[in-house]
């Protein structure tokens, strides 16, 4: 069986390479996705995830993350978590409990403290300055200022598929708001017998369609992974109308084949057994089949 890994946005390029190296050296899909997500969580240059993430309306960087193991369907998630380094690692640690798999706010922070997770103030000088500059402007809430949630899907050589997501969520969101990213079925889903999907974009739209589960359901009916991604998004567009706010999604079938669909230009990264990480740009097309082209020079894309 062969491995593969797909991830959202150009910001995941280096993390995708790291994930690919883990899988190439016979590591697990779980370790691969976590390392990939953490590469983005730790990079202060990316303002929609982890360190230096976008503050909420009260100036707090509150983080959401989810993790799902496709062999067991176990998941772990944290929402509105403040003050810790890797919400994705904390989410992953929650998967084996019979209950209490999804923790939010102070309860999530207390769990992280009690289990020795690394503390970190994710509000950097950069993100604080941006918050002070923009909080009084008439902002249209948008999770898309070039990029949004980091999502990784990976299949390892044993056939295990895992999904992992992490974000600081909607820019200037209300304190306490939790989006799609930690919600299984919405921001991510994984079933090693069928495949996996994960979404980025406006969480309120993604949640309306339980979009990641919708993609997996279509694959379960026998649809090809690319067709399933396009159909799930087309169905939601039809239901919500043409004014649907931005959404992009990535998908993987049980054999590691990948697909994407999007309402706007969307960079993503893929690595497969025997090859290096490649950067692609997906764009919606009139035909309803997502147009995908390989980007040879990452500097060609201005957005992360
Ligand atoms: N998709 C990220 C969010 O809406 O929070």
């Amino acid at each position: 069986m062969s491995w593969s890994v797909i991830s959202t946005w150009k910001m995941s390029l280096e993390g995708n390479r790291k994930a690919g190296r883990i899988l190439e050296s016979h590591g697990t899909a779980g370790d691969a996705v976590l390392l990939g997500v953490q590469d983005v969580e730790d990079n202060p240059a990316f303002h929609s995830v982890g360190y230096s993430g976008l503050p909420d309306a009260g100036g707090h960087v509150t983080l959401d993350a989810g993790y799902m193991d496709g062999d067991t369907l176990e998941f772990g998630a944290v929402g509105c978590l403040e003050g810790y380094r890797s919400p994705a690692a904390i989410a992953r640690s929650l998967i084996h409990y019979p209950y209490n798999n999804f923790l939010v706010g102070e309860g999530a922070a207390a769990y992280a403290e009690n289990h020795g997770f690394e503390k970190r103030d994710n509000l950097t000088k950069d993100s604080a300055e941006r918050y002070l500059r923009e909080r009084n402007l008439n902002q249209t809430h948008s999770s898309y200022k070039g990029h949004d949630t980091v999502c990784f899907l990976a299949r390892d050589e044993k056939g295990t598929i895992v999904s992992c997501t992490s974000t600081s969520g909607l820019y200037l969101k209300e304190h306490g708001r939790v989006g799609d990213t930690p919600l299984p079925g919405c921001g991510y889903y994984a079933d090693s017998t069928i495949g996996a999907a994960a979404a980025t974009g406006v969480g309120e739209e993604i949640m309306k369609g339980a979009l990641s589960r919708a993609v997996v359901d279509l694959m379960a009916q026998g649809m090809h992974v690319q067709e399933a991604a396009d159909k799930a998004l087309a169905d939601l567009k039809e239901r919500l109308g043409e004014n649907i706010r931005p959404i992009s999604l990535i998908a993987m079938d049980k054999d590691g084949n990948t697909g994407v669909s999007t309402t706007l230009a969307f960079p993503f990264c893929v690595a497969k057994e025997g090859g290096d990480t490649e950067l692609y740009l997906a764009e919606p097309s009139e035909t309803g089949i997502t147009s995908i082209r390989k980007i040879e020079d990452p500097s060609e894309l201005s957005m992360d």
Side-chain angles (χ1 to χ4, degrees):
M1 289 207 197
S2 56
W3 63 260
S4 81
V5 54
I6 181 168
S7 53
T8 54
W9 306 108
K10 189 174 88 173
M11 66 182 171
S12 71
L13 194 58
E14 192 46 41
N16 191 293
R17 286 192 182 113
K18 288 182 178 173
R21 285 198 285 273
I22 292 217
L23 294 165
E24 185 64 33
S25 47
H26 316 290
T28 66
D31 288 346
V33 294
L34 183 62
L35 195 70
V37 167
Q38 285 183 322
D39 183 79
V40 183
E41 287 178 330
D42 288 342
N43 191 331
F46 305 134
H47 296 293
S48 57
V49 178
Y51 191 49
S52 205
L54 304 174
D56 66 19
H60 301 266
V61 178
T62 58
L63 304 175
D64 299 341
Y67 179 100
M68 186 162 185
D69 180 324
D71 283 355
T72 59
L73 306 188
E74 289 172 322
F75 73 93
V78 291
C80 203
L81 173 69
E82 193 174 358
Y84 284 86
R85 176 187 158 221
S86 175
I90 300 165
R92 185 187 192 190
S93 76
L94 286 163
I95 72 168
H96 297 303
Y97 295 103
Y99 305 103
N100 304 308
N101 306 107
F102 189 167
L103 300 177
V104 299
E106 286 175 10
Y111 168 87
E113 164 87 34
N114 293 338
H115 289 79
F117 283 94
E118 191 181 332
K119 285 188 165 167
R120 178 168 68 193
D121 181 359
N122 291 301
L123 185 67
T124 61
K125 189 166 171 282
D126 237 23
S127 50
E129 279 173 2
R130 184 168 173 195
Y131 167 72
L132 292 173
R133 212 170 41 241
E134 297 192 15
R135 71 176 165 173
N136 293 326
L137 300 177
N138 186 15
Q139 289 289 314
T140 306
H141 282 190
S142 170
S143 53
Y144 267 69
K145 290 211 166 189
H147 57 279
D148 171 68
T149 307
V150 64
C151 309
F152 270 74
L153 308 175
R155 177 191 193 276
D156 61 33
E157 62 184 13
K158 293 195 170 125
T160 296
I161 296 184
V162 175
S163 56
C164 186
T165 56
S166 184
T167 189
S168 57
L170 206 59
Y171 184 52
L172 289 176
K173 64 189 178 184
E174 290 300 318
H175 185 60
R177 181 259 188 196
V178 173
D180 61 300
T181 300
L183 287 179
C186 295
Y188 61 101
Y189 199 78
D191 181 335
S192 304
T193 68
I194 306 166
T200 170
V202 177
E204 283 72 4
E205 305 292 66
I206 295 164
M207 290 187 274
K208 286 172 191 164
L211 194 58
S212 295
R213 176 61 198 233
V215 178
V216 174
D217 279 349
L218 290 167
M219 287 193 279
Q221 289 164 27
M223 208 172 268
H224 181 270
V225 57
Q226 181 57 50
E227 263 182 87
D230 279 332
K231 177 151 172 48
L233 190 54
D235 288 350
L236 188 60
K237 267 159 92 173
E238 194 179 320
R239 184 66 181 82
L240 298 184
E242 280 310 308
N243 291 332
I244 186 171
R245 291 169 291 174
I247 298 177
S248 306
L249 62 90
I250 55 174
M252 177 178 282
D253 71 16
K254 67 177 172 46
D255 299 314
N257 300 304
T258 54
V260 297
S261 195
T262 185
T263 61
L264 77 180
F266 165 59
F268 66 99
C269 302
V270 179
K272 292 195 173 165
E273 189 161 324
D276 293 329
T277 291
E278 312 275 17
L279 174 66
Y280 296 89
L281 184 69
E283 291 174 285
S285 80
E286 291 297 313
T287 61
I289 300 167
T290 299
S291 136
I292 296 170
R293 76 184 161 91
K294 191 169 151 189
I295 304 295
E296 300 293 349
D297 175 6
S299 65
E300 192 191 313
L301 294 183
S302 56
M303 67 170 88
D304 282 324

